[in-house]
Amino acid sequence: MQTLSDIQVLPLDLHATPAAHILVAEADESIAGTLAAILRHDGYDVTVAHSLASALELLHNESFALVLADAQLEAHTQNTTSLASAISTDTMLITLARFSALDRALQALRSGAYAYLVKPVDVEELRLTVRRALEHRRLEGDLGARQRELEDAQDQLRGLDEANQRLLYAQEEHERFVAMVAHEMRGPLNPIINYAQLAKRSTVTQQARDHYMDVIVEHAFRLNRLVDDLQTATRLSTGHFTLKRELCDIAAAVSEEVDNFSATVMERHFLLERPSEPILAEVDRDRIAQAVRNLVDNAVKYSSDGSAVELSVGCDDMNVYIRVRDYGAGIPESEMRRIFEAFTRLNKATEVQGSGLGLFITRGIATAHGGQLTVENGVGSERARGAIFTLVLPLRIPETESQTEPSDVHL
């Protein structure tokens, strides 16, 4: 058996990793020198430490592929830091021990050392153990790299799955939107077609034909309003909704809308409370008028004949407040959030007409102005407590103009 006591160093082609950095931590300078000479002869980059302190300092400042450490090195110092704890997880440890200190070598194995060598060390065993340790390190590195690649691939697959789910959801939403548009358009289209066919009959009197034409015109206007609502709702949903702001009197704009409803809707009483002086704000007047019309129209639809629709306009130092109240049945608490979604109508079994886009659009107009639309039920009996909608608008253009779609809204 060739040991370190033999002076002759025989060459051995181990196909080892070129210039692998190895630390030899050995108190015996003769043994350390011989180990270093053998390993350098085999092509390794070797650093020698003769004490635990110097070994720890080297481990702190440099990176090593492998450490050959004397099991007795820690017995000759008061340092409480162990060599094993200072070695990084990607560094291999081989313990050197005399037969009399074999228990220390076995303890090192239990603490994570790759192998141990018994002094005097056999040169061939040294070379073979070092080569296997470095190969084990390389394989562990390759395995870690493959595992990271697998994790990256899994992350990409999860990302693709999430993207696929989003696409499926978008497709479902698109199909739902198309189905709802088709359903809403059939509402005015069917009467237009039916009454147009009736009007073509030669036996129809002029009085009946005039009535049919009135119905056709009424539903044609309804269809036109639906198309306008769909266009506005689409712009809100896609972020292409824009405002043309100007300084205008909000109180006067609301008053004008109330006058229009009072002249055309005889089944309701319209009451407006407003200050005598103007309430000036930087808003898109046409859009605010549209929002007020939607709220009043909604109040007319869901209140009983002969009841009142009450409006009030006021302001503080920051905002304008437009409140619209009806005296219908109110809104169930469970529906408070849902009523602002597109194509939502309460009491679908009734004859109430509309696209279900009015509140969606109104909230979008409020949001685009940097304001908000809220709703609450009034105080009263279950059948006549009514709903109160409050449109809040800033008096001046917010520093960060918001023109995004309303939250939790999908088309």
Side-chain angles (χ1 to χ4, degrees):
M1 181 179 71
Q2 187 179 24
T3 67
L4 295 181
S5 60
D6 299 319
I7 301 300
Q8 183 182 10
V9 177
L10 300 177
L12 182 63
D13 182 12
L14 299 175
H15 305 287
T17 303
H21 199 183
I22 296 177
L23 172 62
V24 175
E26 169 62 57
D28 189 313
E29 295 185 8
S30 176
I31 295 177
T34 304
L35 286 170
I38 294 172
L39 295 173
R40 288 179 182 135
H41 180 270
D42 290 343
Y44 301 111
D45 177 18
V46 182
T47 300
V48 177
H50 297 298
S51 68
L52 178 63
S54 59
L56 292 174
E57 183 178 359
L58 286 167
L59 287 169
H60 178 73
N61 296 322
E62 300 181 39
S63 176
F64 294 92
L66 184 143
V67 175
L68 281 166
D70 181 10
Q72 294 290 108
L73 196 65
E74 296 177 5
H76 304 299
T77 179
Q78 299 299 318
N79 198 317
T80 57
T81 303
S82 68
L83 195 65
S85 65
I87 294 176
S88 64
T89 55
D90 63 340
T91 299
M92 307 303 295
L93 173 61
I94 298 175
T95 301
L96 305 172
R98 296 190 182 278
F99 189 80
S100 59
L102 199 57
D103 58 331
R104 286 183 174 272
L106 296 175
Q107 179 63 38
L109 286 178
R110 287 191 288 269
S111 299
Y114 171 74
Y116 70 90
L117 295 172
V118 178
K119 298 178 185 178
V121 178
D122 178 76
V123 174
E124 301 303 327
E125 187 179 3
L126 168 68
R127 286 171 160 168
L128 184 61
T129 304
V130 168
R131 186 186 68 178
R132 287 176 174 172
L134 292 174
E135 178 66 10
H136 182 85
R137 177 177 182 268
R138 184 189 68 79
L139 291 175
E140 280 191 337
D142 290 345
L143 179 61
R146 299 293 86 76
Q147 184 174 357
R148 288 189 293 272
E149 290 176 0
L150 179 60
E151 290 172 353
D152 291 342
Q154 289 174 337
D155 289 339
Q156 292 176 3
L157 286 174
R158 280 193 291 269
L160 289 174
D161 184 62
E162 291 173 1
N164 186 51
Q165 291 297 324
R166 288 194 296 270
L167 286 174
L168 290 174
Y169 178 74
Q171 182 179 356
E172 291 173 358
E173 288 291 287
H174 174 74
E175 292 173 353
R176 186 175 74 92
F177 173 70
V178 171
M180 285 187 292
V181 169
H183 173 75
E184 294 300 330
M185 285 191 166
R186 287 193 190 99
L189 276 176
N190 287 338
I192 290 173
I193 294 171
N194 293 336
Y195 281 100
Q197 290 175 337
L198 289 173
K200 287 175 62 178
R201 293 181 179 178
S202 57
T203 57
V204 173
T205 65
Q206 185 60 43
Q207 182 179 2
R209 183 174 284 108
D210 290 342
H211 171 68
Y212 298 157
M213 296 307 295
D214 288 340
V215 173
I216 291 171
V217 170
E218 176 188 348
H219 285 282
F221 276 116
R222 180 184 165 196
L223 182 61
N224 187 62
R225 287 193 300 271
L226 174 60
V227 171
D228 287 342
D229 284 350
L230 287 171
Q231 186 180 50
T232 302
T234 301
R235 288 174 177 171
L236 285 169
S237 298
T238 57
H240 294 100
F241 185 76
T242 58
L243 300 174
K244 297 179 181 178
R245 290 181 181 267
E246 59 182 353
L247 194 64
C248 75
D249 182 358
I250 296 290
V254 174
S255 181
E256 181 179 326
E257 293 303 318
V258 172
D259 290 341
N260 291 336
F261 273 94
S262 297
T264 57
V265 181
M266 303 303 175
E267 300 83 7
R268 304 290 186 276
H269 301 294
F270 296 93
L271 305 174
L272 172 62
E273 180 183 344
R274 52 156 293 185
S276 56
E277 65 274 7
I279 298 179
L280 299 178
E282 295 177 281
V283 297
D284 186 324
R285 191 184 192 283
D286 291 339
R287 292 300 187 184
I288 297 305
Q290 180 183 9
V292 173
R293 282 197 301 274
N294 287 342
L295 292 177
V296 177
D297 185 59
N298 190 73
V300 169
K301 289 175 181 176
Y302 291 98
S303 58
S304 57
D305 289 348
S307 64
V309 175
E310 298 176 351
L311 294 91
S312 66
V313 186
C315 68
D316 55 23
D317 293 337
M318 299 294 294
N319 299 309
V320 183
Y321 301 91
I322 304 172
R323 291 184 175 87
V324 179
R325 175 174 185 171
D326 65 70
Y327 284 91
I331 302 171
E333 294 296 328
S334 60
E335 302 289 339
M336 284 288 190
R337 184 180 181 86
R338 194 176 69 86
I339 60 172
F340 293 113
E341 297 176 0
F343 297 104
T344 298
R345 290 202 306 267
L346 302 181
N347 302 324
K348 291 184 178 180
T350 68
E351 296 300 322
V352 173
Q353 294 183 345
S355 64
L357 291 171
L359 293 179
F360 169 81
I361 291 171
T362 302
R363 189 177 69 159
I365 291 172
T367 303
H369 279 85
Q372 60 179 330
L373 176 64
T374 63
V375 63
E376 60 182 334
N377 284 318
V379 178
S381 66
E382 187 67 24
R383 296 292 301 170
R385 58 179 176 169
I388 304 172
F389 287 88
T390 303
L391 180 62
V392 184
L393 301 168
L395 289 170
R396 286 162 291 278
I397 300 176
E399 292 183 4
T400 303
E401 180 104 24
S402 174
Q403 293 188 356
T404 59
E405 63 179 291
S407 59
D408 302 320
V409 174
H410 304 283
L411 275 181

